[in-house]
Amino acid sequence: MKGQWIYVSLFVSLALFISRFYNEITLYIVFIIVSIFIIKRTSSTTAVICFLAFFLTIFYYFYTESRNNSVLSPQQTTFDGNLSSIPRINGNFLSFSFQTEQGETVQSYYKIRNEQEQKFLKQLRVGMNCRVEGALEIPKQNRNPGLFNYKEYLYFQRIHWTMTVSDIKECQYQQRTMFFAGLRQSGIQRMNTHIGKPLNAFVNALIFGSREDFNEETIMLYETQGVVHLLAISGLHVGLLVGGAFLILLRLGLTREHSALFLLFFLPIYGVLTGASPSVVRSVVMSMIVLFLYITGWRRKLSGIDVLALCFLALTINSPYAVFNAGFQLSFVVTFFILLSHRIISKFSHFLWRLIALSLIAQLASIPLLLYHFYEFSLLSFFLNLFFVPFFSFILMPASLFLFFTSGIVPVIPQAVETVTLFFVEWSTELLRSAGNVHFSIITIGKVNAWQFCLLYVVIFYVCFQIEKAQRLKDILASSLLLVICLSFYCFMPYMNPNGEVSVIDVGQGDSILIQLPFRKAVYLIDTGGSISFQQEEWEKRQTTFSVGKDIVHPYLKSKGITSITKLIITHGDHDHGGSALELLKLVDVKELVLGKKKLFSELEQELVRETMKRGTPLTLVGSGDVWKEGEHTFNVLAPFGMEEDTNEQSIVIYTVFGNHRWLFTGDLGEKGEQKLIETFPALEVDVLKVGHHGSKTSTSTFFLEEIQPSYGLVSTGEDNRYNHPHPEVLERLEQNNVKIFRTDKQGALIYRFSWKAGTFQTSLP
C-alpha cells in the first residue's frame, strides 16, 4: 500500500463532504471522476479498500450525527461541573466552556458587574469544579448568507447550548482533571506578568498557541496580508522544535531510539499545552507517526504523503467533523502540495531559492480555500511570507522560548532580549501596515461555489505539474497565464451577470440595504447599521469588540466580492442607520457619500462630512425632486424637503423600479413625513415598501398604506429588540391591506434577485 493511502484519504474526505452536502451535484461528479481514475490506475486491492472506506465513512458519519445531541433540559438553570476551557476576561465580559456533570459542554458568557468582581474572576482556572446558574439558549443561526456560522461551529464541537450566566459559585479544585490545560493557563499568565505588551501576545501565540492577547488591529493586519498562520503554531514550528529537542537529547547521551521514544510520549503533552489547534494536532500526529516508524524500522514502507494520509485518517476517525474546519483543510492541503512538490523544491540547491519555491507552492495551494472561506487573498502574501516565515521561525520563536525559560528567573539578560525582540516585532508590524496601504494587494472575489473551487484546483495542479517538468522560466508562462485568466474570470463574473440584487442585511436593530444593479453597473448601500457606544470605565473596556460594520456589513460585502461602493447613502443621522459609516469608509472604497438636505447636520453626519473631506470623497446632498440614473434604472428622491425638524422625518426617501416592481425606501420616515409625501406625490404607487422606522407605530399609517397600496412590506429590525419593533398595530395594518410581510428579526437577511421583467424574494432563515 506504499503510496496508495492518499487515495483512501481522498475517498474518506469525499464521503464526509457528500454526507454533509448531499445536494451538491459537483461532489458526485468529482466522486465519479476519482472512482474512474482509481479503477484504471491502481490495483484492484487499492480500489476495493477505497470504496470500502467510502461507504464505511458514510455510515460512521451518520452514526456520529445520531449521537451528537443534547441531554440537557432547556428548563434547567443550575449546573454542576468544571471549567473546560481557559476562562477569558475581555473587559466586563467573561467567556468559558463549561462541562456539566452529564458530560455535555455548554458555551457560557457572563457580564461582570464591577471591578472587584473582575479581580475575583481572574482567579478562575481551567479544571475548577463550580456551580453555575444561568439560562440555556439555542445558539443563534447564521442570519446573513456568507458570514461565519457560529451555530455550526459549536455543533461541530458537540456544543448545543449557550448559557447566559447569572452566578458562578462554589469554585474549587477537587481533582486535577485538566492538569496540562492548567499548566497552559499558568504559563500564559506568567508571560503576561513578566513580558510587556505587545510582545507578550506573540510569545503566547508561539509558545502556547493563544491569540487572545492580540488587539484587533494586529489580527486584521496579519489576516488581510495572508500571514495570520504565523500567529499559530505551525508544522514548521513543531518540526523545528522536534528536531532541536532530538539533537539536545543526543547531546545529553541518549541513543537515537531512546530520544525518539521520549519525543513520542512528549508530543501529545505538547499538543495539549499548545491548545490542540488543527495545525498543531496535524503536526503532532504526523511527527508521532514518523517517530513510530523510525523506532520500529518501518520508515521505508511509507512515503511522506502516506504519513500525511494516515494522519488525516486518524484525525477524521477521532472526529469526522474536523474535515469541515478551515484551519484543518488549509493545514492538510498546503502540506500535501509541499510534499507533492518535493521535486520542484529539490531542484534548487540554495536555501533562499528553496524558500521561494516552498512559499510559492504554499500560496498556490491555499488560494482556493482562502477564497471559499474568506473570499479574498493577498498578492503580497507570497513576498511577505519570504520575510515573515524565517523571521518567526529563526528569530521570534527562539527569542520566545528564551524569554519563557528565563523571564522572572534570570535578571537583566531577558530584558535586553525583550527590548531587541520588541523592536523587530514593531518594525515587522509597520511593514504589514505599509503593505496594507497598497490598495491593489488584496484580491476580493467573493465566495466561490463548488465547481469554481474544483476548477481552480485543477488549474493549480496543472501549474505545479508544468513547473515540475519545466527547464526554463518561459516554459511555465503559459500555465501561469491560465491561472491568471481563471482568477480574472472569477473577478469579472459579477460584471457579466445580467441579474441584480437587493439585500436587506440583518444588522440587528437598524437598517442596511445593499443594491447591486445588473452587470454590476453600480453598487449602492443605503445605511450601514450601527450601535451607540456608551462611556465605560477603564476596567470595562474590551480588547476586542463587536461592530456591525466590521463584523456584519463588511464581511457581507466581501462575500459578494464588493470592494467599492458607488454611493453610500445615509438616510439620516441616527446611529442605527449610519453608526458604522465611518468604519466602512476605512474598510471599502466609497466613491460618493450621499446625505439629505436639512437645516442642521447631526453630530454623526458632521463627523462623516469631516472624514469625507479628509479622504477627498465626493459629498452629495439630496432632497425632494433630485434624480439620478444608472443604465436603465432611475432613482427618484422624494424626501427630505429640507425644512424638517425631527431627525426621523429628515430621512432620505428613494423611489425606483427593480424587476418590474416599484420600490420605496423610507428610512425612519414617520406619519407626518408620510402625509407630506402623499400630498406632494398623490399618484404614488408602490409594490415593495421598506417599512419605515423598523415597524414603529409612529410610522406606516393606515392612510399611507391605503394610498400607496404595497404588495410587500420589508421590516428591518433586531431579534427580541427592546423597542418591541415591529409593533403589533403596524403588523395588523399591513395584514389588513393584504401586504405580505418579510422581517429580518424572524427570517434573517431578505434578498430580492431580479432581472429586467421579474424578481423573486428569498430569506436566509426558513
Side-chain angles (χ1 to χ4, degrees):
M1 284 290 289
K2 184 176 181 179
Q4 306 295 298
W5 287 105
I6 190 65
Y7 300 127
V8 179
S9 63
L10 179 59
F11 269 75
V12 167
S13 61
L14 279 172
L16 290 170
F17 278 101
I18 288 173
S19 299
R20 183 70 185 172
F21 307 105
Y22 50 85
N23 289 326
E24 185 56 65
I25 302 298
T26 309
L27 289 172
Y28 295 99
I29 296 173
V30 172
F31 172 70
I32 293 170
I33 294 171
V34 172
S35 298
I36 294 171
F37 175 83
I38 292 294
I39 293 170
K40 287 191 172 184
R41 299 295 297 271
T42 64
S43 66
S44 57
T45 303
T46 300
V48 169
I49 292 174
C50 286
F51 286 111
L52 184 62
F54 179 83
F55 291 109
L56 285 175
T57 300
I58 291 176
F59 171 79
Y60 181 54
Y61 176 83
F62 285 107
Y63 170 75
T64 304
E65 284 277 275
S66 68
R67 295 174 61 85
N68 189 8
N69 46 50
S70 176
V71 297
L72 299 177
S73 167
Q75 285 75 39
Q76 189 174 349
T77 57
T78 302
F79 306 86
D80 292 313
N82 62 76
L83 308 182
S84 55
S85 72
I86 297 176
R88 185 191 178 197
I89 293 179
N90 183 19
N92 63 351
F93 192 71
L94 169 69
S95 60
F96 57 93
S97 296
F98 186 77
Q99 188 175 50
T100 66
E101 57 186 356
Q102 293 95 333
E104 184 170 344
T105 302
V106 177
Q107 188 61 38
S108 307
Y109 305 99
Y110 178 69
K111 189 171 183 180
I112 303 171
R113 299 183 182 94
N114 52 57
E115 189 173 7
Q116 191 66 29
E117 186 178 45
Q118 185 193 62
K119 291 178 180 177
F120 168 75
L121 292 173
K122 284 182 179 179
Q123 300 174 24
L124 292 177
R125 309 203 26 105
V126 61
M128 269 188 167
N129 286 354
C130 299
R131 172 163 289 182
V132 173
E133 295 179 357
L136 292 178
E137 297 177 0
I138 297 174
K140 302 295 184 184
Q141 287 182 282
N142 191 16
R143 307 184 64 83
N144 293 285
L147 270 63
F148 176 67
N149 194 329
Y150 185 58
K151 183 176 183 179
E152 184 180 71
Y153 168 77
L154 292 179
Y155 178 81
F156 288 157
Q157 297 182 68
R158 295 174 172 81
I159 298 176
H160 304 279
W161 300 98
T162 59
M163 176 165 51
T164 303
V165 177
S166 58
D167 196 14
I168 306 171
K169 54 188 178 182
E170 300 178 22
C171 291
Q172 57 184 335
Y173 278 114
Q174 293 184 2
Q175 56 181 346
R176 289 254 179 195
T177 54
M178 304 188 72
F179 175 73
F180 293 111
L183 284 180
R184 180 172 183 256
Q185 182 179 357
S186 298
I188 292 171
Q189 290 176 344
R190 178 169 164 265
M191 292 298 94
N192 289 338
T193 300
H194 294 290
I195 299 176
K197 294 181 179 180
L199 185 58
N200 67 313
F202 288 89
V203 174
N204 284 333
L206 294 176
I207 301 297
F208 298 105
S210 171
R211 284 170 34 177
E212 294 178 355
D213 296 302
F214 285 105
N215 58 42
E216 287 180 310
E217 185 201 9
T218 302
I219 292 292
M220 185 173 292
L221 279 174
Y222 276 79
E223 283 180 346
T224 54
Q225 296 305 325
V227 291
V228 72
H229 61 93
L230 295 170
L231 300 183
I233 296 172
S234 66
L236 178 60
H237 295 159
V238 174
L240 289 172
L241 284 173
V242 170
F246 191 79
L247 290 175
I248 291 171
L249 291 171
L250 290 178
R251 291 285 185 181
L252 292 175
L254 272 70
T255 65
R256 290 178 177 272
E257 288 73 16
H258 286 160
S259 298
L261 190 62
F262 174 82
L263 290 173
L264 187 64
F265 285 101
F266 171 75
L267 278 170
I269 298 173
Y270 174 75
V272 175
L273 287 173
T274 53
S277 67
S279 61
V280 170
V281 172
R282 193 261 311 156
S283 304
V284 165
V285 173
M286 278 191 70
S287 299
M288 290 177 67
I289 293 173
V290 170
L291 289 169
F292 177 78
L293 295 174
Y294 180 83
I295 293 169
T296 58
W298 296 349
R299 58 185 180 277
R300 293 184 179 179
K301 295 183 179 181
L302 295 172
S303 65
I305 291 180
D306 285 332
V307 172
L308 180 68
L310 290 173
C311 176
F312 174 86
L313 294 172
L315 295 181
T316 50
I317 289 171
N318 178 61
S319 173
Y321 299 132
V323 75
F324 305 120
N325 180 279
F328 183 94
Q329 294 169 11
L330 281 165
S331 180
F332 274 93
V333 169
V334 170
T335 305
F336 171 68
F337 266 79
I338 290 172
L339 291 173
L340 202 63
S341 306
H342 71 280
R343 290 183 182 176
I344 298 174
I345 299 168
S346 62
K347 281 183 179 181
F348 306 99
S349 56
H350 195 278
F351 168 76
L352 179 59
W353 286 110
R354 287 195 173 195
L355 178 62
I356 291 172
L358 185 70
S359 181
L360 176 62
I361 297 299
Q363 295 306 308
L364 287 174
S366 64
I367 286 174
L369 282 168
L370 291 174
L371 291 177
Y372 184 82
H373 291 289
F374 309 111
Y375 321 128
E376 63 184 13
F377 68 95
S378 171
L379 286 175
L380 295 179
S381 63
F382 166 69
F383 303 100
L384 291 171
N385 274 281
L386 290 178
F387 166 75
F388 277 92
V389 169
F391 171 65
F392 269 74
S393 300
F394 303 114
I395 296 177
L396 197 51
M397 184 71 178
S400 298
L401 286 168
F402 177 81
L403 291 172
F404 172 71
F405 287 113
T406 60
S407 293
I409 301 173
V410 179
V412 183
I413 298 177
Q415 284 84 351
V417 173
E418 181 180 343
T419 302
V420 174
T421 308
L422 180 60
F423 169 79
F424 282 110
V425 165
E426 290 177 341
W427 183 81
S428 64
T429 303
E430 280 301 316
L431 177 62
L432 286 178
R433 205 171 275 122
S434 300
N437 294 328
V438 182
H439 298 296
F440 66 84
S441 64
I442 306 298
I443 304 298
T444 304
I445 292 178
K447 189 176 181 68
V448 295
N449 58 34
W451 75 263
Q452 291 172 322
F453 178 84
C454 293
L455 176 61
L456 199 50
Y457 264 122
V458 168
V459 173
I460 290 172
F461 263 107
Y462 176 71
V463 171
C464 292
F465 176 73
Q466 291 298 319
I467 293 174
E468 184 176 351
K469 70 175 191 176
Q471 298 298 321
R472 294 168 298 177
L473 182 61
K474 68 177 185 179
D475 295 336
I476 63 172
L477 288 179
S479 59
S480 300
L481 184 61
L482 180 61
L483 177 60
V484 172
I485 291 172
C486 185
L487 290 171
S488 300
F489 176 74
Y490 289 173
C491 286
F492 286 102
M493 276 183 64
Y495 299 92
M496 297 181 281
N497 186 356
N499 298 319
E501 188 172 288
V502 180
S503 303
V504 182
I505 307 171
D506 186 349
V507 291
Q509 186 63 17
D511 269 15
S512 187
I513 302 168
L514 177 67
I515 299 172
Q516 301 173 71
L517 296 185
F519 302 103
R520 195 161 283 181
K521 289 184 176 179
V523 174
Y524 303 137
L525 185 65
I526 303 177
D527 291 329
T528 65
S531 55
I532 301 173
S533 57
F534 299 97
Q535 191 171 3
Q536 292 181 313
E537 295 182 32
E538 194 61 35
W539 71 270
E540 293 180 285
K541 293 178 181 177
R542 301 179 186 180
Q543 189 166 342
T544 55
T545 56
F546 172 81
S547 162
V548 170
K550 172 177 63 69
D551 297 309
I552 296 180
V553 180
H554 187 228
Y556 188 81
L557 293 174
K558 286 202 297 183
S559 74
K560 299 292 183 181
I562 295 172
T563 58
S564 177
I565 296 174
T566 313
K567 292 180 186 289
L568 174 57
I569 304 165
I570 304 301
T571 57
H572 62 295
D574 283 357
H575 277 271
D576 60 338
H577 287 254
S580 295
L582 280 168
E583 199 169 32
L584 285 174
L585 282 170
K586 300 172 185 176
L587 293 171
V588 297
D589 179 25
V590 176
K591 301 296 185 183
E592 180 184 358
L593 177 67
V594 179
L595 299 177
K597 294 176 181 176
K598 59 196 68 177
K599 290 181 178 179
L600 181 67
F601 283 142
S602 69
E603 187 176 327
L604 171 62
E605 289 168 321
Q606 291 177 38
E607 201 170 352
L608 282 171
V609 171
R610 287 193 292 269
E611 184 64 25
T612 54
M613 292 177 65
K614 176 182 172 183
R615 292 177 171 273
T617 304
L619 171 65
T620 302
L621 302 180
V622 298
S624 182
D626 288 328
V627 179
W628 79 83
K629 190 172 182 180
E630 190 67 58
E632 303 297 328
H633 292 84
T634 301
F635 297 83
N636 299 275
V637 180
L638 307 188
F641 296 91
M643 303 301 294
E644 295 86 354
E645 299 289 342
D646 183 79
T647 303
N648 290 336
E649 304 295 1
Q650 295 172 350
S651 295
I652 295 174
V653 177
I654 297 173
Y655 180 82
T656 189
V657 177
F658 296 130
N660 209 28
H661 281 153
R662 296 159 294 189
W663 288 64
L664 188 68
F665 300 93
T666 60
D668 274 356
L669 194 70
E671 289 187 22
K672 289 183 180 179
E674 293 171 353
Q675 180 76 30
K676 178 72 172 175
L677 212 60
I678 297 302
E679 290 174 0
T680 310
F681 305 99
L684 184 65
E685 293 182 352
V686 175
D687 297 306
V688 183
L689 170 67
K690 202 294 292 185
V691 175
H693 203 182
H694 323 292
S696 166
K697 63 181 177 181
T698 60
S699 299
T700 322
S701 62
T702 302
F703 165 77
F704 185 59
L705 290 174
E706 289 175 350
E707 289 293 324
I708 65 173
Q709 297 182 339
S711 301
Y712 303 94
L714 313 182
V715 185
S716 179
T717 189
E719 185 182 24
D720 300 324
N721 65 86
R722 58 178 177 165
Y723 306 103
N724 195 31
H725 290 163
H727 200 275
E729 286 183 24
V730 173
L731 296 176
E732 187 177 346
R733 292 175 205 159
L734 291 167
E735 289 170 358
Q736 288 175 350
N737 284 273
N738 299 315
V739 178
K740 184 174 182 179
I741 304 168
F742 291 99
R743 300 168 50 175
T744 58
D745 62 328
K746 300 294 185 184
Q747 297 162 297
L750 312 174
I751 300 167
Y752 178 77
R753 293 189 176 93
F754 64 92
S755 60
W756 176 241
K757 293 184 178 180
T760 56
F761 281 100
Q762 179 184 336
T763 62
S764 297
L765 304 179

